Structure formats: C-alpha cells, structure tokens
Amino acid sequence: ENGKVYDQHPAISTAKKFNAALTTGDTATLRELVTKDFISYNSNYYHPRYKGNGIQALFRSSLYLKNNFLNLKIENWGQAYPDAVSYDRSGLYVYTYDIMSGFDKNNGFKINSPRKSTFIFDKKGKKIKKLLFSDNTAHFQKYSKSKEVVKNGIIYKDHPDIAKVRLMMAHIEMGNIDKAYENFSE
C-alpha cells in the first residue's frame, strides 16, 4: 500500500476553487490557493528546456481568460469526478477530469475541450505547489486560427448567382412564388 484514494477531500474543494478563480480572473483567490513557488506545466508540451510557468504567468492567463471569454467554466466531464490521492511517499495529489467550455467574446468561437489536471499540494496538503494540465491541443490551435483573417476564396459584389437570388427575392416581394424558384433546381 502506498496511500489512500478519496472521492471527498478538502483538497478537491481547493482544486475546484482554483478552476473557478482561474476562469474568472480572481487572482486574489489564486494567490491564496497556491504556494509562492507555484509552477504549472502543460503536459502536452515537452522540450528539454521547458521549465513550466510560475505564478505571474498564472495571473496573466487568468486575466486573459476573464477578459476574452464569456461563460467560461471548468466542470466535471460527464460522470467523471475528481479524486484526491494521499501518497505515503509523494504527498497529496488531486486528479480532475473536466471539460473547459465557453465562448470567445470577440469572435464567438466555442471552447469545448477536455481538460485533465493533476494538482500537487505542498507538504502540509493545504496549498497547490504544482499543476500539470492537458487540453485538446488541436482544438486550441483551431481557436488560435479563428483570430486570424484567412482568405478562402473570392467574394463577389455581382455575379450571375447573385442575380438569380435577387430575382428570386423580387418575385417573392411581388407575390410571384412559382416564378421565384424557376431558376433553381429541385
């Protein structure tokens, strides 16, 4: 035996408070929940020189989320729920299996991504010392692209197909419903 697994534990509440504070820009609460040497790592990213991100990066991320998203939340993924594991040798961990969802307030892009997190607590088991998280990288790449202007063809002010639609609308306005659709296939 190397520890105990809990489905109810104060550390689970701390992890939930962290997620709520993260998505709402509540840096004061984040500061209360993490250690001064807090560090987070994106588990999807590996590079030998990757050292993770500290508390200031956490605050910047939280404020970015607050300022750029509507209704952003991190909630349990379906029937999944968090577990706290108190390891005899390594301390207290909380594992969450969530969905991050919301909308970009500038372009309406819908965020809907699984998010798996491992919260590693300090020796006293009170504050979060490390956070390992993973999101759907492809989804967030698509989100990043949604902020760019991408040319995908040509926009016409006048075109034979536009003329067909104008004629259809003219016939509808005049009450000629049968004539309105004569230029269209079934």
Side-chain angles (χ1 to χ4, degrees):
E1 186 174 302
N2 182 28
K4 294 182 180 177
V5 178
Y6 302 90
D7 63 356
Q8 294 181 11
H9 192 281
I12 294 172
S13 296
T14 301
K16 287 181 179 181
K17 282 183 191 174
F18 177 95
N19 283 340
L22 177 68
T23 59
T24 60
D26 186 351
T27 56
T29 297
L30 287 172
R31 187 179 304 277
E32 290 173 10
L33 298 176
V34 301
T35 61
K36 289 182 180 171
D37 59 344
F38 170 84
I39 194 155
S40 67
Y41 298 90
N42 181 336
S43 300
N44 292 328
Y45 181 73
Y46 174 76
H47 189 278
R49 291 188 300 264
Y50 179 52
K51 303 286 187 228
N53 296 299
I55 196 166
Q56 293 306 316
L58 172 67
F59 294 160
R60 284 191 303 274
S61 294
S62 181
L63 292 172
Y64 176 84
L65 296 173
K66 174 191 174 193
N67 293 327
N68 289 284
F69 288 92
L70 301 169
N71 201 36
L72 187 67
K73 55 190 170 226
I74 300 172
E75 299 177 311
N76 288 354
W77 181 359
Q79 297 299 313
Y81 56 86
D83 287 313
V85 180
S86 179
Y87 293 105
D88 292 340
R89 289 176 281 186
S90 7
L92 182 61
Y93 286 48
V94 171
Y95 299 97
T96 66
Y97 310 95
D98 299 312
I99 292 286
M100 178 185 259
S101 62
F103 299 90
D104 182 286
K105 70 168 55 170
N106 301 302
N107 70 10
F109 187 92
K110 183 177 182 179
I111 296 294
N112 192 26
S113 173
R115 182 179 178 91
K116 297 177 184 168
S117 300
T118 302
F119 295 88
I120 303 170
F121 284 76
D122 62 6
K123 290 188 187 296
K124 295 178 183 176
K126 300 293 183 196
K127 292 192 172 203
I128 301 165
K129 184 175 179 67
K130 290 183 185 173
L131 170 63
L132 308 162
F133 66 93
S134 63
D135 299 310
N136 180 340
T137 304
H139 182 73
F140 282 98
Q141 285 173 342
K142 187 172 182 177
Y143 165 63
S144 185
K145 288 276 188 196
S146 79
K147 296 186 269 182
E148 300 174 9
V149 175
V150 178
K151 185 176 178 181
N152 185 18
I154 299 171
I155 297 175
Y156 295 94
K157 287 187 341 183
D158 289 297
H159 187 277
D161 290 335
I162 294 172
K164 287 179 186 179
V165 172
R166 285 186 190 136
L167 281 171
M168 176 193 70
M169 295 306 293
H171 286 295
I172 288 173
E173 191 173 325
M174 294 184 293
N176 301 329
I177 301 302
D178 291 336
K179 188 120 175 104
Y181 294 103
E182 71 181 13
N183 288 321
F184 292 85
S185 65
E186 285 187 36

